[in-house]
Amino acid sequence: MIGKQIKGRGFRKLLDYLESRTDAQLIGGNMSGRNARELAQEFRLSRQLNSQAERVVYHVSLSAAKDDQLDDEKWSEIGSRYMKEMGFDANQFVIFRHHNTDDDHIHITASRIRMDTGKLVHDSWDYVRSEKVLRQIEIDYNLVQVHGSKEKLKRTPSTGQIRRIRREQEEFELGQRDSPPKRTTKEEIQFLIDYASFDHPQMPEFIMILQSAGINVRSGFTRNGKSKGISYEKDGQAFSGTQLGAAYTFPGLQKHKKIDYQPQRDDQRIQQLLLNPVKSLPIDPPQPALEIVQPETKPQFTPPAEDESLWPTLKNYLTEKRGISSAFVEALHDQGLTYVDQQQAVVFIKWDLDREKSGALIWHTRSQDNLTVEYDKTTKPSPGWFHLRLGGKPGDKIERVFLCDTPIDALSCAEMDMIAHKGLPPVRTMYMVVDDPNNLPVEYFKTANRIVLAFNNNAQGHETAQVVKKMLPVAERIAPEGLTWNQMILERRRQKQLEVQRQRQFDDELSL
């Protein structure tokens, strides 16, 4: 039995798809709805328990081997057991059976939000756990023992590693660990290769992506100069393609990962890359997740995974070192605008004007400035910007716009604006980062009453202001006192601390 897991955002389109297949049957679950519309309405009950959660849809398909004969009742029983053992023992779910392919299979749609606590079901190592559950179901129901397609192409963790994963997962769920189990170096290399091969690049580009992610790639050549064999090294541990699995050998990359390789075009470039590797960059590739099979109006963006244990450190840094108010910082995190990823970099989420996530900017606090870099330049997210909206009412039109250089400057500008108004601004105000002057919603800004070019007081800020001024002639230039808006906040706090010290000193002198 093979299981495929998918996480997504919307129930209705998925349910419509499952219901519309030829001979589709609703055979099980724990819900009362009998069609897609009724089920989608019922799923809203769990959504209301956790309105901040995003990927709340869990969709899994279970396919039986060709020699297995299962009726509706047995399929429903297997589907219910699978959900319980995957941790969905207090969740809404429904089971559809399809006959539209050669493989007998069911689809399970569930809410990841638990009805008893309102929290999401943990999905750490869910692929490993799924394989364990399916292997046991095959035994208990006397079914054909099969292996998932990924198992055939990827070497699985050892028994000892699986035991460690299970133990650490249990400790994490019991609150005895601050973070879920981490991948082994071998699994990390496999994951990065999967990531690098996602859009089927040419072989030299594939090697460059791996090198930039910190993997040392080695490939041998025949006497005739033809490429043969490939191995990978990370953190001092090296693995041949064969050790990782059939899909990770040089031929396997072409056959299974669809890497485009043409010897005459690529061999010389590959040799140059092996002799002069590109520098490793601090990137955090997105977590592997399949999107729900449904019509998409625009590409979906998967942001970097958050390391929740590092959030207190970032909060302390933004408040103590950058002068942003604690309440403001908490609100940003609650809305998912900023957090720390698993590479210990600060993430600022970019949104389009419909409030859909479309990208991310990465900032390293150890850098000497506030400049950020694009999270993932290999994808093409829909246009978006890091921006926040304050003041007025949520449904009000934007009346004031402040355009800034970086997220830290946008936060600082907003903080200074709130200080000036002694609270939130009276009208709806947007603070937006211009990371690309050629990518601005100019038409959207034309309805605003006031547009402020709040770029920093340096050469780059002045240059950006001149470029944007040509696109928005009505905009006014207001530069911060000093170089940046953040410097203004820190200077203001320093002056207040000096005033407090002087007052204390004065009070002490009077008491003598």
Side-chain angles (χ1 to χ4, degrees):
M1 184 169 290
I2 296 175
K4 297 180 180 180
Q5 301 173 72
I6 302 169
K7 301 177 185 73
R9 294 182 175 84
F11 287 101
R12 182 59 190 271
K13 289 184 179 179
L14 171 60
L15 292 168
D16 284 341
Y17 164 77
L18 297 179
E19 187 181 54
S20 66
R21 299 299 90 184
T22 304
D23 295 329
Q25 298 171 268
L26 199 166
I27 64 169
N30 57 10
M31 303 176 69
S32 60
R34 306 316 299 168
N35 55 53
R37 180 181 60 82
E38 293 176 355
L39 290 168
Q41 290 177 344
E42 199 171 341
F43 273 121
R44 291 178 186 173
L45 294 175
S46 58
R47 270 191 180 276
Q48 292 171 358
L49 298 177
N50 191 340
S51 59
Q52 299 299 317
E54 294 188 351
R55 288 184 175 271
V56 300
V57 180
Y58 181 71
H59 172 205
V60 59
S61 64
L62 301 180
S63 300
K66 294 184 182 299
D67 293 335
D68 288 329
Q69 300 296 323
L70 298 169
D71 57 22
D72 290 348
E73 182 179 356
K74 193 64 68 176
W75 260 128
S76 178
E77 185 179 329
I78 289 174
S80 297
R81 171 173 168 174
Y82 177 88
M83 295 303 290
K84 182 178 181 180
E85 297 196 19
M86 288 298 290
F88 289 77
D89 55 328
N91 300 66
Q92 296 173 309
F93 72 94
V94 64
I95 304 173
F96 282 87
R97 185 178 185 182
H98 281 179
H99 304 273
N100 59 322
T101 66
D102 293 336
D103 296 326
D104 187 12
H105 66 282
I106 60 171
H107 291 264
I108 308 172
T109 301
S111 170
R112 294 182 60 219
I113 301 172
R114 294 181 62 90
M115 297 295 289
D116 53 352
T117 64
K119 296 182 179 180
L120 292 176
V121 173
H122 291 300
D123 60 354
S124 301
W125 295 95
D126 52 3
Y127 289 94
V128 175
R129 291 187 290 120
S130 177
E131 291 296 335
K132 173 190 172 185
V133 171
L134 292 177
R135 299 294 80 78
Q136 190 60 48
I137 287 176
E138 290 167 349
I139 295 172
D140 293 346
Y141 286 85
N142 196 28
L143 302 177
V144 175
Q145 295 275 291
V146 300
H147 295 284
S149 58
K150 288 190 175 181
E151 272 191 290
K152 297 177 183 178
L153 303 177
K154 178 186 292 187
R155 298 284 186 177
T156 56
S158 66
T159 302
Q161 291 169 342
I162 293 177
R163 288 174 180 169
R164 174 188 64 80
I165 292 167
R166 292 173 185 167
R167 184 185 69 252
E168 293 182 356
Q169 177 65 29
E170 291 174 357
E171 292 173 351
F172 175 66
E173 293 176 355
L174 292 173
Q176 298 172 357
R177 285 176 57 90
D178 294 331
S179 59
K182 292 184 178 180
R183 298 184 184 93
T184 63
T185 302
K186 182 178 180 180
E187 291 167 322
E188 185 68 17
I189 292 175
Q190 290 172 326
F191 172 56
L192 289 168
I193 293 173
D194 294 341
Y195 161 67
S197 61
F198 176 74
D199 56 353
H200 316 307
Q202 296 178 3
M203 188 65 76
E205 281 69 34
F206 168 76
I207 293 174
M208 287 178 62
I209 296 173
L210 290 180
Q211 290 176 338
S212 68
I215 293 182
N216 181 22
V217 181
R218 297 176 182 174
S219 180
F221 288 86
T222 65
R223 293 179 179 179
N224 296 327
K226 304 296 183 182
S227 294
K228 66 168 186 178
I230 192 166
S231 65
Y232 316 87
E233 180 184 356
K234 189 178 190 299
D235 299 332
Q237 297 187 46
F239 300 91
S240 67
T242 302
Q243 289 175 311
L244 297 182
Y248 302 89
T249 63
F250 200 86
L253 292 171
Q254 301 165 62
K255 179 179 179 180
H256 303 294
K257 301 293 184 182
K258 307 302 181 184
I259 302 297
D260 182 7
Y261 172 62
Q262 298 179 25
Q264 292 183 347
R265 179 195 67 193
D266 297 337
D267 281 345
Q268 185 176 354
R269 294 173 63 197
I270 291 174
Q271 286 185 346
Q272 292 174 348
L273 284 170
L274 299 182
L275 292 173
N276 299 289
V278 299
K279 292 182 179 180
S280 173
L281 298 176
I283 67 170
D284 178 32
Q287 294 298 322
L290 299 174
E291 293 294 334
I292 290 176
V293 181
Q294 61 185 39
E296 295 284 347
T297 57
K298 53 187 174 183
Q300 297 290 326
F301 171 76
T302 303
E306 178 180 5
D307 187 336
E308 296 182 3
S309 66
L310 294 178
W311 166 242
T313 303
L314 175 59
K315 178 184 176 182
N316 181 70
Y317 179 82
L318 292 176
T319 54
E320 297 299 322
K321 300 297 184 182
R322 294 293 180 164
I324 311 296
S325 66
S326 179
F328 191 14
V329 171
E330 284 285 0
L332 292 169
H333 185 248
D334 290 343
Q335 295 176 31
L337 288 171
T338 186
Y339 57 87
V340 182
D341 69 13
Q342 295 178 354
Q343 301 296 324
Q344 300 185 10
V346 182
V347 177
F348 295 100
I349 296 296
K350 297 170 69 173
W351 306 74
D352 61 21
L353 297 178
D354 294 325
R355 301 297 289 168
E356 291 288 336
K357 293 181 181 179
S358 60
L361 298 174
I362 301 298
W363 177 54
H364 297 278
T365 56
R366 61 182 177 271
S367 63
Q368 298 299 314
D369 52 38
N370 300 329
L371 297 179
T372 56
V373 295
E374 189 74 25
Y375 163 58
D376 185 3
K377 292 184 178 180
T378 66
T379 61
K380 296 180 180 180
S382 57
W385 310 264
F386 174 80
H387 64 280
L388 50 149
R389 312 178 191 194
L390 300 176
K393 297 179 181 179
D396 291 349
K397 81 176 187 72
I398 301 298
E399 296 192 28
R400 300 163 72 233
V401 176
F402 288 79
L403 302 179
C404 305
D405 286 292
T406 69
I408 286 295
D409 295 308
L411 300 181
S412 302
C413 184
E415 185 81 19
M416 291 298 297
D417 199 23
M418 288 190 290
I419 291 173
H421 287 96
K422 298 181 180 180
L424 293 173
V427 298
R428 198 67 170 159
T429 305
M430 176 184 286
Y431 311 86
M432 176 180 284
V433 172
V434 182
D435 51 318
D436 180 4
N438 296 316
N439 176 32
L440 275 178
V442 176
E443 292 297 321
Y444 181 80
F445 288 153
K446 287 183 179 180
T447 61
N449 296 331
R450 185 186 184 197
I451 303 174
V452 178
L453 306 180
F455 301 111
N456 289 333
N457 195 10
N458 54 24
Q460 179 179 334
H462 297 319
E463 181 180 351
T464 305
Q466 291 177 357
V467 174
V468 178
K469 180 72 173 177
K470 294 179 181 179
M471 295 184 285
L472 298 167
V474 298
E476 57 182 304
R477 172 74 163 120
I478 298 180
E481 299 174 8
L483 287 178
T484 69
W485 292 99
N486 193 244
Q487 285 185 358
M488 285 186 65
I489 290 180
L490 297 176
E491 178 61 24
R492 181 180 181 277
R493 186 170 68 171
R494 189 182 72 85
Q495 292 295 337
K496 290 188 69 174
Q497 290 173 344
L498 289 175
E499 291 176 7
V500 171
Q501 292 175 0
R502 293 192 191 102
Q503 185 63 45
R504 288 177 179 173
Q505 184 178 3
F506 180 71
D507 293 342
D508 291 342
E509 291 174 352
L510 289 178
S511 63
L512 294 177

